[in-house]
Amino acid sequence: MRPSVGVVIPTRGDRPGLLRAALAGVLAQEYGGRVEVVVVADGVSASLVAQQVSAVGSSAGCAAGLAAGGAVRSVRVLGNRRAAGLPGARNTGISVLGTDFVAFCDDDDLWLPGKLAAQVAALAEEPDAGFASCAVEVEYGDRRVPRLAGTGRVTHRHLTRSRMMMVHSSTFLFRRGRTWVDESAPAGQNEDWDLALRAAWRHPIVHVDRPLVRVRWGSSHYVGRWADRIAGLEWMLARHPGLTAEPRGAARVYGQLAFCHAALGRRREAARWSLRAFSARPGEPRAAVALAVAGGLVSPRAVLHALHRRGHGI
């Protein structure tokens, strides 16, 4: 018997087309074990979300209680029972699952064929590991850019030196029972980075370094929420003081803070954080970009657009 997998898909119900595609990608996985999908409605009626996804299970032959590909697939929709926001929605899903593994898929992302089987197989080869990720392809407009880690093991140091964006929430697969999302994350910011850091502290994350998830940046709820992003970065610095011990990682976070303040028109704060970034790592590009935004030489939207087309963020 292959391990059972529960998949948590949080949604606000405001992008039903993408949600249906995300659900279809999960149900289409060729995996011989039982798969339970929990769609968690956050801040919206569960009945509305149930209507949005009702056609997916039946059209794929995967409605609750039916079999697909020789294994049981089930889908249920419920409301967020914990703190409002993404972390609480994820934990609501985890709390109702009784599967061996739990996986996440954001409602605007897409699992590609072979994702689930590859990760379960990778974890089976390393019994001491309890957490897996995979590479992604970033979709922005008409472009798709693969983002690889260049390693099969993502360590805690990897994640302090770099955010490792390919270690994305929609790639997470972990053993149920010891992993929960921290609901204190401000506006849900950086909850996935925090979760990955905690997992990597216990044991290096098993990483399948080929693109098995399509991450759609153009529909993100978080782009442009500068004050929330500042709060999330400050939360991470307080929660993970080791982030400042690695000069490259510290400069990256300081540069991000500088950019967010610059986007809000806070020139003095942008200059202060830029100086800290340059002190940690002379030539830190985010700090230079932040100063250009603060000086009105370029808009934050133009910067993000140029970076996203290359599969990168600030």
Side-chain angles (χ1 to χ4, degrees):
M1 292 291 293
R2 294 191 179 186
S4 56
V5 178
V7 185
V8 181
I9 306 179
T11 186
R12 296 178 182 178
D14 56 351
R15 41 195 183 192
L18 292 174
L19 171 60
R20 286 191 288 268
L23 178 57
V26 170
L27 295 176
Q29 294 290 306
E30 294 185 358
Y31 177 68
R34 177 168 56 91
V35 176
E36 298 181 12
V37 183
V38 179
V39 181
V40 183
D42 178 40
V44 66
S45 163
S47 60
L48 172 63
V49 173
Q51 292 175 8
Q52 293 176 351
V53 303
S54 61
V56 178
S58 58
S59 64
C62 302
L66 298 181
V72 172
R73 302 285 191 265
S74 67
V75 181
R76 52 180 159 159
V77 179
L78 67 157
N80 184 0
R81 301 172 181 174
R82 300 175 68 99
L86 185 57
R90 294 200 202 281
N91 283 341
T92 292
I94 295 173
S95 69
V96 301
L97 288 167
T99 51
D100 299 309
F101 288 100
V102 174
F104 292 159
C105 184
D106 292 349
D107 69 347
D108 58 338
D109 294 334
L110 179 67
W111 283 10
L112 301 178
K115 186 264 189 194
L116 196 53
Q119 288 185 300
V120 171
L123 283 173
E125 293 177 1
E126 193 162 343
D128 291 336
F131 201 103
S133 60
C134 65
V136 302
E137 64 175 27
V138 175
E139 180 178 273
Y140 183 73
D142 60 353
R143 294 175 64 89
R144 292 177 183 168
V145 181
R147 293 296 308 274
L148 310 181
T151 180
R153 297 292 180 275
V154 175
T155 66
H156 189 268
R157 185 163 186 246
H158 280 132
L159 289 164
T160 54
R161 294 186 77 245
S162 169
R163 168 60 186 85
M164 302 284 285
M165 67 77 52
M166 69 291 301
V167 183
H168 184 280
S169 55
S170 291
T171 75
F172 290 176
L173 175 74
F174 51 89
R175 298 187 192 280
R176 185 182 63 85
R178 62 181 183 181
T179 301
W180 296 86
V181 183
D182 193 321
E183 296 180 25
S184 70
Q189 291 282 336
N190 295 314
E191 45 82 28
D192 52 349
W193 187 19
D194 167 72
L195 189 62
L197 276 166
R198 288 189 280 124
W201 183 258
R202 293 192 296 264
H203 190 281
I205 294 171
V206 173
H207 182 78
V208 180
D209 204 28
R210 63 179 191 271
L212 295 172
V213 173
R214 182 173 301 152
V215 176
R216 291 165 163 157
W217 271 358
S219 57
S220 172
H221 284 127
Y222 293 99
V223 174
R225 291 169 52 180
W226 306 116
D228 288 344
R229 294 179 73 170
I230 290 168
L233 289 167
E234 291 177 340
W235 178 77
M236 286 295 294
L237 290 175
R239 184 166 170 77
H240 299 278
L243 291 174
T244 61
E246 174 62 54
R248 185 183 184 93
R252 179 180 55 79
V253 175
Y254 297 157
Q256 289 174 323
L257 282 164
F259 183 86
C260 293
H261 280 290
L264 288 172
R266 301 172 180 171
R267 295 185 178 184
R268 182 173 296 180
E269 287 298 298
R272 182 171 70 88
W273 283 109
S274 292
L275 180 59
R276 291 190 67 176
F278 285 137
S279 297
R281 182 193 179 201
E284 168 57 41
R286 294 169 184 82
V289 172
L291 291 176
V293 171
L297 301 178
V298 64
S299 72
R301 181 181 295 273
V303 171
L304 291 184
H305 176 70
L307 290 171
H308 289 174
R309 283 187 60 82
R310 293 166 175 78
H312 290 265
I314 192 65

